[in-house]
Amino acid sequence: MAEETLPGTADDDGPDSIVLHVDMDCFYAACERLREPELEGKPVVVGMGYEPGEGHGAVATASYEAREFGVESAQPISTALERLPRIDDLAPDDDPAAAGHYRTVDLEFYKSVAADVKAILHDCADVVREVSIDEAYLDVTDRTAWDLAASGDRTLAEGFARYVKQRIAREVGVAASIGVAPNMSTAKIASDFDKPDGLVVVRPGEVRSFLAPIPVEEVHGVGPVTARKLGSLGIETAGDLADADAAVLEAEFGSRGRELHERARGYDDRTVTPTGRPKSLSRESAFTEPTDDSEDKREVVRALAADVADRARSRGAMYRTIGIKVVVPPFDINTRATSLSGPVDDPELVESVALDLLDAEFEATTVRKLGVRVSKLSFADADQSSLDGWESAGSGGADGDGDGDGRVSDEPEASAAADGADEPPNTGGETPSRGGQSSLVEFD
Ligand code: TTP
Ligand code: MG
């Protein structure tokens, strides 16, 4: 497909960007499989408002095996049950392979998995835009290149994306599909192109030919109404849209028509902008085997505290809350935090508070994962805008699931909630205090 030369020979003003769009495969179902590995390869349906044994609620997502039976997102559970009976309802001689494992949405758990994924993404890119619980754009122009790898006809960018995918699979245990392209809209289409477990690379010279056969509905900014109108003009694919007369499109759709025309031709000059300032900075670490060894746990907390304090300092962030996260097998998440009377930048205090919180309640507990977090951040530099942490998959007020469909979106908040103003109120806990009141706060 390389009808033009590589790399960076575009007529524009600089080298071509390298954008990754990462979207997790059947995300909620993949999370359920983390807890219940025996669901691997089986039809799984995750229902919102669903209760075991009942028939109400709506499908949040279905595993790819369940999709084969015609089960899909937003469908009523009652319809899903007609297409794919529940395993518990099967008669003894029915085929268990043609039955579904129905589970109820557990957003807190999915957010904790998403945070692990996003921590990897932030590790792999300086600029990350999180758009929902399971989806993000990365600008990795500075980390890799469109040049061909020495070993063959693949680009370095492809190898980089494969590395990101493998890290997510190995470290978190869920599958991502990744699209790689010189711009955001093409990367998004590419990530969807070969799901599940896809890796689709569209090189700078290939954008237009890649887009040509794609249905217009998939072009960013084309909703069902626009698609219908385009259809009535005989425009069915991105190729048709690219070849259409810009003046006609503009007459029909105004300036948006011109924009859609540009997108279909492979131009999208949006840059990946980070989602926003962090509300907190955190780092967590899982043990290979759960442990109750007090010194092992303290050692990990010390290392995590040093790392978090270091990152806060390098980002110019002061913090007013120091907390820990303790995950007890199988996935029981506990968080404890201490609020200080004012913002500090004090690595030793992060360590001692984190250790006190650990010792106070979890000294003898068997844990599988530990985390340290600083929050209620304030920044010396008003323009600072990097983002990190396990909470970043939709922390605070930005991730409410009050939009009815239970999806979690991290689109930018309008206001400066980044200072932690949305943190839950103190609950008057008995945790150690350093010149300020103690509190128990939720991490997300
Ligand atoms: P999607 O990324 O749209 O879907 P998905 O990850 O389940 O599957 P795919 O492999 O096609 O990407 O959404 C992410 C999660 O958001 C999904 O796992 C469940 C939730 N969701 C809803 O709750 N309701 C919905 O209508 C949709 C589309 C998603
Ligand atoms: Mg997804």
Side-chain angles (χ1 to χ4, degrees):
M1 281 216 294
E3 69 266 32
E4 290 167 34
T5 40
L6 285 173
T9 47
D11 42 31
D12 49 86
D13 42 9
D16 286 296
S17 296
I18 306 172
V19 178
L20 266 52
H21 181 256
V22 179
D23 189 305
M24 311 309 296
D25 299 326
C26 56
F27 184 58
Y28 291 4
C31 293
E32 291 297 335
R33 284 173 168 164
L34 277 184
R35 284 198 285 214
E36 294 183 76
E38 59 278 16
L39 296 180
E40 202 56 58
K42 296 183 180 157
V44 177
V45 180
V46 182
M48 176 132 11
Y50 168 76
E51 284 162 38
E54 305 287 338
H56 50 252
V59 175
T61 196
S63 71
Y64 281 78
E65 294 80 1
R67 293 180 197 192
E68 305 253 306
F69 292 84
V71 179
E72 53 190 44
S73 293
Q75 200 168 54
I77 289 284
S78 52
T79 309
L81 284 167
E82 280 164 21
R83 299 183 178 185
L84 179 67
R86 187 161 32 210
I87 188 100
D88 318 292
D89 299 342
L90 280 193
D93 48 350
D94 286 341
D95 177 11
H101 299 259
Y102 286 72
R103 297 292 181 269
T104 307
V105 164
D106 177 357
L107 208 46
E108 282 309 304
F109 175 54
Y110 309 152
K111 280 201 240 172
S112 80
V113 178
D116 291 347
V117 173
K118 304 254 167 105
I120 293 173
L121 301 184
H122 284 279
D123 213 34
C124 292
D126 300 316
V127 182
V128 178
R129 179 171 195 81
E130 301 179 16
V131 288
S132 77
I133 190 167
D134 87 326
E135 184 187 349
Y137 291 94
L138 280 57
D139 186 327
V140 295
T141 314
D142 294 337
R143 301 267 186 133
T144 181
W146 282 116
D147 301 86
L148 296 179
S151 55
D153 61 355
R154 304 224 164 128
T155 59
L156 294 170
E158 176 171 343
F160 187 89
R162 196 171 298 285
Y163 162 76
V164 175
K165 235 169 108 65
Q166 283 171 353
R167 273 196 66 182
I168 297 170
R170 278 196 206 124
E171 295 175 29
V172 188
V174 290
S177 289
I178 301 189
V180 188
N183 61 51
M184 292 173 74
S185 58
T186 311
K188 178 158 172 69
I189 292 172
S191 74
D192 204 38
F193 193 76
D194 192 26
K195 263 183 171 289
D197 204 24
L199 173 55
V200 173
V201 182
V202 186
R203 303 180 197 187
E206 302 172 345
V207 173
R208 193 150 168 191
S209 58
F210 168 75
L211 294 177
I214 303 277
V216 276
E217 290 87 336
E218 288 178 36
V219 174
H220 186 84
V222 178
V225 175
T226 307
R228 247 194 325 276
K229 277 196 197 162
L230 287 168
S232 69
L233 296 170
I235 298 170
E236 307 281 349
T237 65
D240 298 339
L241 186 56
D243 293 337
D245 185 339
V248 172
L249 294 172
E250 203 166 349
E252 186 72 29
F253 302 102
S255 62
R256 207 163 63 87
R258 191 165 284 277
E259 202 180 319
L260 294 177
H261 189 234
E262 296 279 278
R263 294 259 164 92
R265 286 152 52 87
Y267 295 111
D268 173 9
D269 59 7
R270 290 174 301 157
T271 50
V272 182
T273 49
T275 320
R277 260 190 193 176
K279 292 184 180 62
S280 60
L281 293 165
S282 57
R283 187 67 96 203
E284 60 185 36
S285 174
F287 292 96
T288 339
E289 292 291 331
T291 180
D292 62 358
D293 185 297
S294 154
E295 202 33 54
D296 284 357
K297 290 185 290 189
R298 289 174 64 85
E299 195 51 46
V300 166
V301 165
R302 274 189 213 105
L304 295 170
D307 183 84
V308 165
D310 189 49
R311 282 193 298 143
R313 186 168 284 178
S314 71
R315 287 162 164 77
M318 314 258 281
Y319 31 88
R320 273 205 297 138
T321 299
I322 298 168
I324 62 166
K325 172 171 168 178
V326 179
V327 183
V328 177
F331 279 105
D332 183 13
I333 300 168
N334 302 277
T335 60
R336 299 291 183 271
T338 295
S339 289
L340 312 170
S341 52
V344 298
D345 164 14
D346 186 344
E348 282 178 18
L349 189 61
V350 177
E351 178 180 307
S352 63
V353 168
L355 287 173
D356 285 349
L357 291 170
L358 180 74
D359 291 344
E361 277 183 73
F362 304 102
E363 201 184 358
T365 311
T366 299
V367 306
R368 64 172 290 270
K369 197 185 249 189
L370 288 168
V372 172
R373 176 199 212 197
V374 294
S375 56
K376 293 215 172 183
L377 303 183
S378 47
F379 291 89
D381 165 13
D383 290 331
Q384 146 80 35
S385 65
S386 66
L387 186 72
D388 209 336
W390 74 64
E391 75 299 337
S392 52
S395 50
D399 63 350
D401 54 346
D403 57 2
D405 68 357
R407 304 197 70 187
V408 178
S409 166
D410 299 357
E411 276 299 313
E413 295 155 87
S415 67
D419 63 6
D422 58 340
E423 202 149 32
N426 291 344
T427 53
E430 295 299 309
T431 48
S433 160
R434 305 264 160 175
Q437 79 209 101
S438 302
S439 65
L440 295 177
V441 294
E442 294 294 328
F443 270 38
D444 290 320

